[in-house]
Amino acid sequence: MIELDVCIDRSGDLVVHHDRYLPDGRLLDTLTLPEIKRVAPEVEPLSRVLRELVRSGVTLYLDLK
């Protein structure tokens, strides 16, 4: 099983990131994905991560932050 921490960005899109804050202290829900990726390039849209993981057959646990 894989646990994914999921947050919402300013556009209402779901992104995979450990918590609601970036390392610089800004909240994810105040930024769009391109703005977030400038600070934290590892952040990915949930839809992209799900496409990759569903193919593998792994069990997912989503933790909504």
Side-chain angles (χ1 to χ4, degrees):
M1 180 189 310
I2 294 176
E3 176 187 339
L4 299 176
D5 294 330
V6 179
C7 302
I8 194 166
D9 73 2
R10 186 175 75 203
S11 302
D13 295 321
L14 297 174
V15 296
V16 177
H17 189 265
H18 178 65
D19 73 49
R20 297 176 44 224
Y21 295 91
L22 289 175
D24 66 7
R26 290 184 288 171
L27 282 166
L28 291 176
D29 63 4
T30 65
L31 303 166
T32 63
L33 182 58
E35 294 167 328
I36 293 167
K37 286 187 81 66
R38 278 189 224 119
V39 176
E42 70 278 4
V43 174
E44 291 293 339
L46 178 61
S47 59
R48 180 178 178 168
V49 174
L50 287 177
R51 272 194 309 273
E52 296 300 320
L53 291 177
V54 166
R55 291 181 199 155
S56 72
V58 69
T59 300
L60 297 175
Y61 174 80
L62 302 180
D63 185 4
L64 304 176
K65 299 288 183 175

